[in-house]
Amino acid sequence: MSTHDDILVFAHVGDLHLIEPDAQNTSDYWAILAHLEELDGLDFVFLPGDNADNGRTDQYELVRIGLDGLSLPVHVITGDHDMESGSLDAFYGGLGVRQLPYAVTVSGTRCLFLDMCGPGSGGPDFRLGGYQIAWLEAELRGAEAHGRDCVLFMHSYPADLTDAGEATRVADLVHRGPVRLVEMGHTHYNELSNDGRTIYAACRSTGQIEEGPVGYAVAAVDRGVVSWRFRELGQPWPFVLITAPADGRLAQSEDHRVAGETEIRAVVLGHDRIAACEYRIDDGPWSPMRSDENDRRYHAYVDWPAGGHRLAVRAHDAGGACDEDIVEPAGASFALATSKGIGSDADALGPWPDRGVLGTQLGPNRNGRHW
């Protein structure tokens, strides 16, 4: 969206599993894209695979109809359902999307899009193959040399790669490299994991939901800080996302602790003019935040109080509607995350209702139905 600021902001619409035009998930998908089309402030929309439930041409046409009404850039990757026919011919032919893997730099962040399914034999035979792994390694090395953060987009956790050697290697590449965020589908439920260096985020399915209402996630990487929040379809605007400081649960380094002078930053999405954006710490007074030309964020500087625990940011639009986001930054005594198993859901944070994470793991690869 912006070539001037240094924050990446995108919307993640979970696995579609589209089957037929009059199905509920088709109308939900089209409604989500119509909501996103109202916004100014997103860099792109991401679809994480399992776009067509049976990988059929007529199902991809339903995906295409939604995308044709969207002016935002869209990045679409593959899922196991997209391989149900035994190839990805219908995926590429029906959607006209770029051949995976590929990379783009958006607002200073290197975004890497992978195909976990094409190199496999179909179904959940998730593989990357030698070419993609070498490509990924070269991309991460190049990004690190240029001081760029990376976001990796893939259908599932590296641990779900069928070949144990691939799973270990990819998890290690991600953990050691400049990857701030791995954005995924497949689980069918919202989940956030933090291995101490990288955040893994999975978004609730649009087409096969077993927990909570339909919606989409908004994610941001703001100077190395990851933020993520699920928005239910039909929730009124505006929508606030605090992008700095990091919530302690998503903190990835000592630099993410708060102390002394601290800059508070937030993005506000909506279709009406924002009349006011304010912050407060704990139960203190509300104080104004301001926005600058060519920067999507509202910001303010504050001398972070010793013992400060909770930061809230709220925004009012011209129509009188209001939204609020809350984080709990990492203070001096906060224990930063350490990994129980890199590249997997071993580091899942559990329930986080303010982020739309219920912690149920109701999906086909854990506690849910086998669709």
Side-chain angles (χ1 to χ4, degrees), residues 16-19 26 29-30 33 47 50-53 56-69 74 76 82 91 94-95 97:
L16 303 178
H17 291 281
L18 297 190
I19 298 176
T26 303
Y29 161 61
W30 290 343
L33 294 193
L47 302 183
D50 286 356
N51 306 284
D53 196 51
R56 298 199 318 251
T57 300
D58 61 310
Q59 295 169 348
Y60 286 116
E61 177 61 23
L62 301 176
V63 181
R64 183 76 260 169
I65 289 170
L67 298 183
D68 285 346
V74 181
V76 188
D82 296 304
F91 170 83
L95 298 182
V97 295

Side-chain angles (χ1 to χ4, degrees), residues 75-320:
H75 297 283
V76 188
I77 65 170
T78 57
D80 45 298
H81 283 254
D82 296 304
M83 270 286 288
E84 195 162 300
S85 67
S87 80
L88 294 175
D89 292 347
F91 170 83
Y92 285 113
L95 298 182
V97 295
R98 291 180 63 176
Q99 186 81 27
L100 297 161
Y102 66 87
V104 295
T105 300
V106 183
S107 298
T109 297
R110 194 68 170 160
C111 300
L112 312 176
F113 300 89
L114 296 179
D115 172 19
M116 288 184 72
C117 302
S121 59
D125 181 23
F126 295 135
R127 298 178 186 272
L128 291 178
Y131 168 76
Q132 277 196 102
I133 292 177
W135 177 88
L136 175 61
E137 188 168 15
E139 279 287 341
L140 295 180
R141 187 167 56 246
E144 194 155 37
H146 288 89
R148 293 192 187 279
D149 289 329
C150 292
V151 178
L152 186 59
F153 297 84
M154 56 196 300
H155 187 58
S156 192
Y157 286 99
D160 291 331
L161 289 163
T162 306
D163 182 275
E166 276 197 0
T168 300
R169 186 175 178 190
V170 173
D172 185 61
L173 283 173
V174 171
H175 190 68
R176 290 189 295 105
V179 181
R180 294 293 186 177
L181 171 65
V182 178
E183 198 75 18
M184 308 169 296
H186 189 60
T187 64
H188 291 195
Y189 46 81
N190 291 334
E191 184 164 79
L192 292 168
S193 302
N194 183 358
D195 69 7
R197 284 184 57 89
T198 303
I199 306 301
Y200 288 83
C203 185
R204 181 177 299 155
S205 170
T206 303
Q208 295 179 349
I209 301 175
E210 297 181 55
E211 56 147 47
V214 68
Y216 55 90
V218 177
V221 179
D222 183 355
R223 301 176 194 169
V225 174
V226 173
S227 51
W228 194 98
R229 186 182 174 200
F230 187 78
R231 183 183 187 275
E232 297 177 9
L233 179 61
Q235 178 183 338
W237 302 114
F239 179 83
V240 178
L241 182 67
I242 297 172
T243 63
D247 187 284
R249 286 160 284 192
L250 299 181
Q252 299 164 284
S253 71
E254 291 293 331
D255 293 343
H256 290 172
R257 295 189 187 277
V258 288
E261 186 178 64
T262 299
E263 186 180 15
I264 298 168
R265 300 189 294 273
V267 292
V268 182
L269 303 178
H271 55 73
D272 281 345
R273 180 181 62 84
I274 300 303
C277 186
E278 307 167 296
Y279 76 91
R280 74 172 177 180
I281 299 171
D282 295 327
D283 295 322
W286 288 100
S287 300
M289 300 176 70
R290 65 183 179 88
S291 61
D292 296 329
E293 189 176 2
N294 296 326
D295 193 331
R296 286 170 281 180
R297 292 161 292 200
Y298 287 83
H299 67 97
Y301 287 92
V302 62
D303 187 11
W304 191 265
H309 177 67
R310 181 175 176 270
L311 169 67
V313 172
R314 70 182 182 186
H316 300 266
D317 68 18

